[in-house]
Amino acid sequence: MATTTKGKTSKSVHPGERAPRATTGRHSPADDIRADEAREKLDDFTQLRRDRGAAEAGIVRLFATVYDIATERTLAAMNETFGSKSQSKVFSWHFTSLVSEFAIKTNDSPVALRNRAYDAYELVRSFPDWVTSIEEGKIDLPHARAMLRNTGLLQEDQYAKYGSRLLEYAETHSVGQTAAEAERLVAEIAAEAFEKACKEAREDRFVRIRHDSFGMADIHVRVPSELGMAVKDKLDKEAKALRDINEQARKDAVHTIAAEIAQAASLDGLAIDSNQATGASASAGLDADADADADAATSLGSEPAVDPAATDSRTTDQIRADILIETLLCATPGESRVVANINLTIPALSVLEGREDGTAPALLNGMHPISFPEACQLAANAPSWQRVLNDPISGHVIAVTPYRPPQPMRTFIQVRDRSCRFPGCMRPATHSEIDHTHPASEGGETSIDNLAVLCRSHHVLKHEKPWTVINLGDGVLEWRTPLGQVVVTEPMPYSTRPDAPASNSANANAYGNVTGASASDVTKKSARPEFRPTVVLEDVPAPF
């Protein structure tokens, strides 16, 4: 997950090091059309967003006051009117009555508005700094809702720590990134409650089916995250393998048809070279070619030779669905031509010392917290793993020591970056590409300080549109947008120990070699480093 901050950052360049180089994507005259107007609209948008934030904060405080009014009315009415009725029921009547007045003004559902009012009260009472941030236009209301959705496992005395740490993150990140960080923070701060909840949720596995009116059905399956991710990875790989087979079959079919066309033409005394025949068959389309090939083959006294895979027009989603059903209904258990892979990040010190509140959780693909005992069980059966060394103060990855993977540099970048490094993107690194910030075609080095994770969409955007990016080293990217905004994205650091010592001046490169520091500095910086084995699981067996 990329950490995004506004403004510029800088990195000192040591003697002998090459200064970071800016790389800008393709620029065309079309990119300059009404550019000044677009910049003005960006400024207008910023001001309107700030005005909207002030209005939303005002509404939040208003609904919190309505909640207080309902509370006072409830306390006053308990003994006078409702006798032995429960306090919560009496409050619900008063609160719903008040909120319904506002619902008439807004044409909202009273139920929806009542939920908003509950959230407003909780924000004002427990997280007032979030209301101020909304008012100042630093975050939007959906950021706050993402924060509130994850408070269920927290004790009230943990709210302040959770709220302050997440707010600092939310002010420079998207709603989706904030929601993911909220899940991770809760798993860390309320470790004991989180592990208990994971155990209870695991008991709630099920398979359900819902039929629609058009001969189709939705199958809803609830399974542990690590198994669900493995299923998705397996389906993706199987679908890609089948699409590759189909593509090769199309190419072979085009050449086969072209050869038969050329052969038929030669029997008729016509001169058609293979390139003309290939172009004709390809432009006609394979579905039409199947019939044409049948006629041509019949005239030659042979049967049609088009591979059925060449005319397979299914989309990737359709292939995934078909593979899933075929696997469930037809395949022999344990047999597959593609294995599934998932990545688990497990703090070694938590393995040695136990999981407690404040310690880092086990993460699926570096992002999603999962049950710690289950992660350890999967790790015990894993065929390969890597040791990840991170700075005990900042949490940034310093080195990855691979034990089996053939691509250690790619592994390092994926572990360091976790997700696409374009501002606001959450595409996991395992489903993205490794990009040369300074293109290799222009002399860019294949080195840690010139590589970063970008998803396919943003990889293309970087090259095809005039976005400028500078790799400042240590995984820090500085982006300049076509309209002139500057955004800096950093890899989200792994959790550090609460008792980590203060920072010092030692500088470590990507492989853990320390430069510009004395031996004593190195000792201080390296004290109690945190090792995280990143486990790659193949063909994960169901543990139940």
Side-chain angles (χ1 to χ4, degrees):
M1 183 184 301
T3 301
T4 310
T5 57
K6 310 297 181 186
K8 293 186 177 181
T9 188
S10 61
K11 178 191 175 186
S12 59
V13 180
H14 297 285
E17 287 188 2
R18 185 175 299 176
R21 171 174 171 172
T23 299
T24 304
R26 193 189 315 277
H27 184 278
S28 68
D31 294 313
D32 294 326
I33 294 176
R34 302 174 69 178
D36 290 339
E37 183 180 357
R39 292 188 184 91
E40 291 176 3
K41 294 305 177 185
L42 179 61
D43 293 338
D44 292 345
F45 171 79
T46 302
Q47 183 58 49
L48 289 170
R49 181 173 179 265
R50 190 177 294 114
D51 295 342
R52 183 187 65 185
E56 286 182 340
I59 292 174
V60 165
R61 294 190 177 103
L62 180 152
F63 277 128
T65 301
V66 170
Y67 189 101
D68 286 334
I69 294 173
T71 300
E72 290 186 24
R73 290 184 177 184
T74 300
L75 295 176
M78 280 299 296
N79 296 324
E80 298 175 5
T81 308
F82 296 103
S84 61
K85 297 291 185 182
S86 68
Q87 186 173 355
S88 61
K89 182 175 292 187
V90 175
F91 172 81
S92 177
W93 291 337
H94 280 294
F95 191 47
T96 301
S97 176
L98 282 168
V99 169
S100 296
E101 298 276 3
F102 291 87
I104 293 173
K105 289 289 186 182
T106 62
N107 293 322
D108 280 331
S109 159
V111 174
L113 209 58
R114 187 174 61 191
N115 291 336
R116 285 180 58 188
Y118 276 126
D119 288 347
Y121 174 75
E122 193 65 22
L123 276 174
V124 172
R125 182 179 74 94
S126 303
F127 304 98
D129 290 346
W130 282 72
V131 182
T132 302
S133 189
I134 293 172
E135 185 174 36
E136 295 173 350
K138 295 179 179 178
I139 62 172
D140 293 323
L141 197 56
H143 284 88
R145 290 176 180 148
M147 178 273 294
L148 289 175
R149 278 198 301 269
N150 290 278
T151 57
L153 296 180
L154 297 172
Q155 301 296 322
E156 287 203 13
D157 59 0
Q158 296 172 323
Y159 281 2
K161 182 177 182 180
Y162 169 72
S164 62
R165 287 177 61 180
L166 189 59
L167 179 59
E168 181 180 1
Y169 183 90
E171 288 181 345
T172 55
H173 289 78
S174 68
V175 174
Q177 289 173 321
T178 300
E181 176 65 2
E183 292 179 4
R184 193 198 65 80
L185 268 179
V186 168
E188 176 185 318
I189 295 172
E192 186 175 336
F194 174 79
E195 297 299 337
K196 180 180 178 181
C198 284
K199 184 177 180 180
E200 293 173 353
R202 202 176 185 88
E203 299 301 317
D204 191 30
R205 304 185 300 276
F206 62 76
V207 177
R208 292 174 184 159
I209 186 167
R210 183 180 64 83
H211 297 275
D212 68 11
S213 302
F214 307 101
M216 298 295 287
D218 295 324
I219 300 176
H220 184 197
V221 182
R222 181 175 172 83
V223 295
S225 292
E226 65 273 14
L227 300 180
M229 189 69 74
V231 169
K232 178 62 164 55
D233 182 75
K234 195 179 189 73
L235 291 175
D236 287 345
K237 289 182 175 179
E238 291 273 8
K240 183 180 184 302
L242 189 53
R243 288 294 295 269
D244 290 344
I245 291 171
N246 292 346
E247 182 61 29
Q248 186 59 50
R250 289 189 190 95
K251 294 178 180 179
D252 293 343
V254 168
H255 290 297
T256 299
I257 294 171
E260 293 178 350
I261 291 175
Q263 183 180 357
S266 66
L267 292 176
D268 292 336
L270 300 175
I272 300 179
D273 63 36
S274 59
N275 290 333
Q276 288 177 310
T278 299
S281 60
S283 62
L286 280 173
D287 289 334
D289 283 337
D291 293 334
D293 182 49
D295 294 338
T298 300
S299 67
L300 294 173
S302 62
E303 293 298 323
V306 176
D307 186 340
T311 58
D312 187 346
S313 60
R314 290 179 296 173
T315 66
T316 301
D317 279 340
Q318 290 171 336
I319 291 175
R320 286 195 196 99
D322 293 345
I323 291 174
L324 175 63
I325 298 304
E326 289 169 4
T327 301
L328 289 174
L329 300 180
C330 308
T332 302
E335 291 187 1
S336 174
R337 64 175 181 273
V338 177
V339 297
N341 294 296
I342 61 173
N343 294 319
L344 294 175
T345 304
I346 306 175
L349 290 177
S350 293
V351 175
L352 297 175
E353 301 174 2
R355 218 31 191 116
E356 59 185 22
D357 289 354
T359 59
L363 298 175
L364 180 64
N365 283 346
M367 299 172 65
H368 307 290
I370 65 170
S371 165
F372 197 77
E374 297 300 331
C376 292
Q377 180 62 41
L378 291 169
N381 298 324
S384 63
W385 59 280
Q386 302 93 40
R387 183 179 64 185
V388 180
L389 173 63
N390 67 280
D391 188 303
I393 301 161
S394 69
H396 290 294
V397 175
I398 296 174
V400 174
T401 305
Y403 286 95
R404 287 191 190 178
Q407 297 176 297
M409 186 175 290
R410 177 180 293 272
T411 301
F412 177 90
I413 297 298
Q414 289 178 335
V415 172
R416 183 195 70 188
D417 289 359
R418 302 207 212 187
S419 68
C420 172
R421 299 296 310 289
F422 190 86
C425 186
M426 290 280 290
R427 182 76 172 175
T430 52
H431 292 76
S432 300
E433 301 174 352
I434 304 297
D435 171 62
H436 286 75
T437 307
H438 178 204
S441 59
E442 299 178 10
E445 297 180 352
T446 302
S447 64
I448 295 298
D449 282 345
N450 190 46
L451 297 175
V453 170
L454 290 179
C455 68
R456 178 60 182 168
S457 175
H458 291 130
H459 194 171
V460 172
L461 180 68
K462 167 181 173 282
H463 292 289
E464 294 299 325
K465 287 299 171 184
W467 287 72
T468 298
V469 60
I470 303 175
N471 196 321
L472 299 173
D474 299 329
V476 180
L477 299 183
E478 179 182 288
W479 295 84
R480 183 177 295 275
T481 75
L483 295 182
Q485 297 188 85
V486 176
V487 183
V488 176
T489 66
E490 301 177 25
M492 192 183 81
Y494 288 87
S495 299
T496 59
R497 290 184 59 83
D499 57 351
S503 180
N504 56 64
S505 60
N507 296 304
N509 67 18
Y511 288 105
N513 300 318
V514 179
T515 59
S518 66
S520 59
D521 287 333
V522 176
T523 301
K524 292 176 184 176
K525 187 177 182 67
S526 302
R528 301 198 70 184
E530 184 168 297
F531 293 94
R532 300 170 177 272
T534 300
V535 183
V536 181
L537 304 179
E538 299 183 356
D539 276 338
V540 182
F544 45 78

Coordinates of all heavy atoms in Angstrom, one line a residue, residues 168-207:
E168 N -4.0 10.7 10.8 CA -2.7 11.1 10.1 C -2.5 10.4 8.8 O -2.1 11.0 7.8 CB -1.5 10.8 11.0 CG -0.2 11.3 10.5 CD 1.0 10.9 11.4 OE1 0.8 10.3 12.5 OE2 2.1 11.3 11.0
Y169 N -2.9 9.2 8.7 CA -2.8 8.4 7.5 C -3.9 8.8 6.5 O -3.7 9.0 5.3 CB -3.0 6.9 7.8 CG -2.8 6.0 6.6 CD1 -1.6 5.5 6.3 CD2 -4.0 5.6 5.9 CE1 -1.5 4.6 5.2 CE2 -3.9 4.8 4.8 CZ -2.6 4.3 4.4 OH -2.5 3.4 3.4
A170 N -5.1 9.0 7.0 CA -6.3 9.3 6.1 C -6.1 10.6 5.4 O -6.6 10.8 4.3 CB -7.6 9.3 6.9
E171 N -5.5 11.6 6.0 CA -5.4 12.9 5.4 C -4.5 13.0 4.2 O -4.5 13.9 3.4 CB -4.8 13.9 6.4 CG -5.8 14.3 7.6 CD -5.3 15.2 8.6 OE1 -4.0 15.5 8.6 OE2 -6.1 15.8 9.3
T172 N -3.8 11.9 3.9 CA -3.0 11.8 2.7 C -3.3 10.6 1.8 O -2.5 10.2 1.0 CB -1.5 11.9 3.0 OG1 -1.2 10.8 3.9 CG2 -1.1 13.2 3.6
H173 N -4.4 9.9 2.1 CA -4.7 8.7 1.4 C -6.2 8.6 1.0 O -7.0 9.4 1.5 CB -4.4 7.5 2.3 CG -2.9 7.2 2.4 ND1 -2.2 8.0 3.3 CD2 -2.1 6.4 1.8 CE1 -0.9 7.6 3.2 NE2 -0.9 6.6 2.4
S174 N -6.5 7.7 0.0 CA -7.8 7.6 -0.5 C -8.7 6.9 0.6 O -8.2 6.3 1.6 CB -7.8 6.8 -1.8 OG -7.4 5.4 -1.5
V175 N -10.0 6.8 0.3 CA -10.9 6.1 1.2 C -10.6 4.6 1.3 O -10.6 4.0 2.4 CB -12.4 6.4 0.8 CG1 -13.3 5.5 1.6 CG2 -12.7 7.8 0.9
G176 N -10.4 4.0 0.1 CA -10.0 2.6 0.1 C -8.8 2.3 0.9 O -8.7 1.3 1.6
Q177 N -7.8 3.1 0.7 CA -6.5 2.9 1.4 C -6.7 3.1 2.9 O -6.2 2.3 3.8 CB -5.4 3.8 0.9 CG -4.9 3.5 -0.5 CD -4.0 4.6 -1.0 OE1 -4.2 5.8 -0.8 NE2 -3.0 4.2 -1.7
T178 N -7.5 4.1 3.3 CA -7.8 4.3 4.7 C -8.6 3.1 5.3 O -8.3 2.7 6.5 CB -8.6 5.6 4.9 OG1 -7.9 6.7 4.3 CG2 -9.0 5.9 6.3
A179 N -9.5 2.6 4.6 CA -10.3 1.4 5.1 C -9.3 0.2 5.3 O -9.5 -0.5 6.3 CB -11.4 1.0 4.1
A180 N -8.4 0.0 4.4 CA -7.5 -1.1 4.6 C -6.5 -0.9 5.8 O -6.2 -1.8 6.5 CB -6.6 -1.3 3.3
E181 N -6.1 0.3 5.9 CA -5.2 0.6 7.1 C -6.0 0.5 8.4 O -5.4 0.1 9.4 CB -4.6 2.0 6.9 CG -3.8 2.5 8.1 CD -2.5 1.7 8.3 OE1 -2.2 0.8 7.5 OE2 -1.8 2.1 9.2
A182 N -7.3 0.9 8.4 CA -8.1 0.8 9.6 C -8.2 -0.7 10.0 O -8.0 -1.0 11.2 CB -9.5 1.3 9.3
E183 N -8.4 -1.6 9.1 CA -8.4 -3.0 9.4 C -7.1 -3.5 10.0 O -7.1 -4.2 11.0 CB -8.7 -3.8 8.1 CG -10.1 -3.6 7.6 CD -10.3 -4.5 6.3 OE1 -9.4 -5.2 5.9 OE2 -11.4 -4.3 5.7
R184 N -6.0 -3.0 9.4 CA -4.7 -3.4 9.9 C -4.4 -2.9 11.3 O -3.9 -3.6 12.2 CB -3.6 -3.0 9.0 CG -2.2 -3.6 9.2 CD -1.1 -2.8 8.6 NE -0.9 -1.5 9.2 CZ -0.3 -1.3 10.3 NH1 0.2 -2.3 11.0 NH2 -0.2 -0.1 10.8
L185 N -4.8 -1.6 11.5 CA -4.6 -1.0 12.8 C -5.4 -1.7 13.9 O -4.9 -1.9 15.0 CB -4.9 0.5 12.8 CG -3.8 1.5 12.4 CD1 -4.4 2.9 12.3 CD2 -2.7 1.4 13.4
V186 N -6.6 -2.0 13.6 CA -7.4 -2.7 14.6 C -6.8 -4.0 15.0 O -6.8 -4.4 16.1 CB -8.9 -2.8 14.1 CG1 -9.7 -3.8 15.0 CG2 -9.6 -1.5 14.1
A187 N -6.4 -4.7 14.0 CA -5.7 -6.0 14.2 C -4.5 -5.9 15.1 O -4.1 -6.8 15.8 CB -5.4 -6.7 12.9
E188 N -3.8 -4.8 15.0 CA -2.6 -4.5 15.8 C -3.0 -4.1 17.2 O -2.5 -4.6 18.2 CB -1.7 -3.5 15.1 CG -0.5 -3.1 15.9 CD 0.3 -2.0 15.2 OE1 0.4 -2.0 14.0 OE2 0.7 -1.1 16.0
I189 N -3.8 -3.0 17.3 CA -4.1 -2.4 18.6 C -5.0 -3.4 19.5 O -4.7 -3.5 20.7 CB -4.9 -1.1 18.4 CG1 -3.9 -0.1 17.7 CG2 -5.4 -0.5 19.7 CD1 -4.6 1.2 17.3
A190 N -5.9 -4.1 18.9 CA -6.8 -5.0 19.6 C -6.5 -6.4 19.2 O -7.4 -7.1 18.7 CB -8.2 -4.6 19.4
A191 N -5.2 -6.8 19.3 CA -4.8 -8.1 18.8 C -5.6 -9.3 19.4 O -6.0 -10.2 18.7 CB -3.3 -8.3 19.1
E192 N -5.8 -9.2 20.7 CA -6.5 -10.3 21.4 C -7.9 -10.5 20.9 O -8.4 -11.6 20.6 CB -6.5 -10.1 22.9 CG -7.1 -11.3 23.7 CD -6.9 -11.1 25.2 OE1 -6.0 -10.3 25.6 OE2 -7.7 -11.7 25.9
A193 N -8.6 -9.3 20.8 CA -10.0 -9.4 20.3 C -10.1 -9.8 18.8 O -11.0 -10.5 18.4 CB -10.7 -8.0 20.5
F194 N -9.1 -9.3 18.1 CA -9.1 -9.7 16.7 C -8.9 -11.2 16.5 O -9.6 -11.8 15.6 CB -7.9 -8.9 16.0 CG -7.7 -9.3 14.5 CD1 -8.6 -8.8 13.5 CD2 -6.7 -10.2 14.1 CE1 -8.4 -9.2 12.2 CE2 -6.6 -10.6 12.8 CZ -7.4 -10.1 11.8
E195 N -8.0 -11.8 17.2 CA -7.7 -13.2 17.0 C -9.0 -14.0 17.5 O -9.3 -15.0 16.8 CB -6.5 -13.7 17.8 CG -5.2 -13.0 17.4 CD -4.8 -13.4 16.0 OE1 -5.3 -14.4 15.4 OE2 -4.0 -12.6 15.3
K196 N -9.6 -13.6 18.5 CA -10.9 -14.2 18.9 C -11.9 -14.1 17.9 O -12.6 -15.1 17.6 CB -11.3 -13.6 20.3 CG -12.6 -14.3 20.8 CD -13.0 -13.6 22.1 CE -14.3 -14.2 22.6 NZ -14.8 -13.6 23.9
A197 N -12.1 -12.9 17.3 CA -13.1 -12.7 16.2 C -12.8 -13.6 15.0 O -13.7 -14.1 14.4 CB -13.1 -11.3 15.9
C198 N -11.5 -13.7 14.7 CA -11.1 -14.6 13.5 C -11.5 -16.0 13.8 O -12.1 -16.7 12.9 CB -9.6 -14.5 13.3 SG -9.1 -13.0 12.5
K199 N -11.3 -16.5 15.0 CA -11.7 -17.9 15.3 C -13.2 -18.1 15.2 O -13.7 -19.1 14.7 CB -11.2 -18.2 16.8 CG -11.5 -19.6 17.2 CD -10.9 -19.9 18.6 CE -11.1 -21.3 19.0 NZ -10.6 -21.6 20.3
E200 N -14.0 -17.1 15.7 CA -15.4 -17.2 15.6 C -15.9 -17.1 14.2 O -16.8 -17.8 13.8 CB -16.1 -16.1 16.5 CG -15.8 -16.3 18.0 CD -16.3 -15.1 18.8 OE1 -16.7 -14.1 18.2 OE2 -16.2 -15.2 20.1
A201 N -15.3 -16.2 13.4 CA -15.7 -16.0 12.0 C -15.5 -17.3 11.2 O -16.2 -17.6 10.3 CB -15.0 -14.8 11.4
R202 N -14.4 -18.0 11.6 CA -14.0 -19.2 10.8 C -15.1 -20.3 11.0 O -15.3 -21.1 10.1 CB -12.7 -19.7 11.3 CG -12.0 -20.6 10.3 CD -10.6 -21.0 10.9 NE -9.9 -21.8 9.9 CZ -9.1 -21.2 8.9 NH1 -9.0 -19.9 8.8 NH2 -8.4 -22.0 8.1
E203 N -15.8 -20.2 12.1 CA -16.9 -21.2 12.3 C -18.1 -20.9 11.4 O -19.0 -21.7 11.3 CB -17.3 -21.2 13.8 CG -16.2 -21.6 14.7 CD -15.6 -22.9 14.5 OE1 -16.4 -23.9 14.2 OE2 -14.4 -23.1 14.5
D204 N -18.1 -19.7 10.8 CA -19.3 -19.3 10.0 C -19.2 -19.6 8.6 O -19.7 -18.8 7.7 CB -19.6 -17.8 10.3 CG -20.9 -17.3 9.8 OD1 -21.9 -18.2 9.8 OD2 -21.0 -16.2 9.4
R205 N -18.4 -20.6 8.2 CA -18.3 -21.0 6.8 C -19.6 -21.5 6.2 O -20.4 -22.2 6.9 CB -17.2 -22.1 6.6 CG -15.9 -21.7 7.2 CD -14.8 -22.7 6.9 NE -15.1 -24.0 7.4 CZ -14.9 -24.4 8.7 NH1 -14.3 -23.6 9.5 NH2 -15.1 -25.6 9.1
F206 N -19.9 -21.2 5.0 CA -21.1 -21.7 4.4 C -21.0 -21.6 2.8 O -20.2 -20.9 2.3 CB -22.3 -20.9 4.9 CG -22.3 -19.4 4.6 CD1 -22.6 -18.9 3.3 CD2 -22.0 -18.5 5.5 CE1 -22.6 -17.6 3.0 CE2 -22.0 -17.1 5.3 CZ -22.3 -16.7 4.0
V207 N -22.0 -22.2 2.2 CA -22.2 -22.1 0.7 C -23.7 -21.9 0.5 O -24.5 -22.6 1.1 CB -21.8 -23.4 0.0 CG1 -22.1 -23.2 -1.5 CG2 -20.3 -23.6 0.1

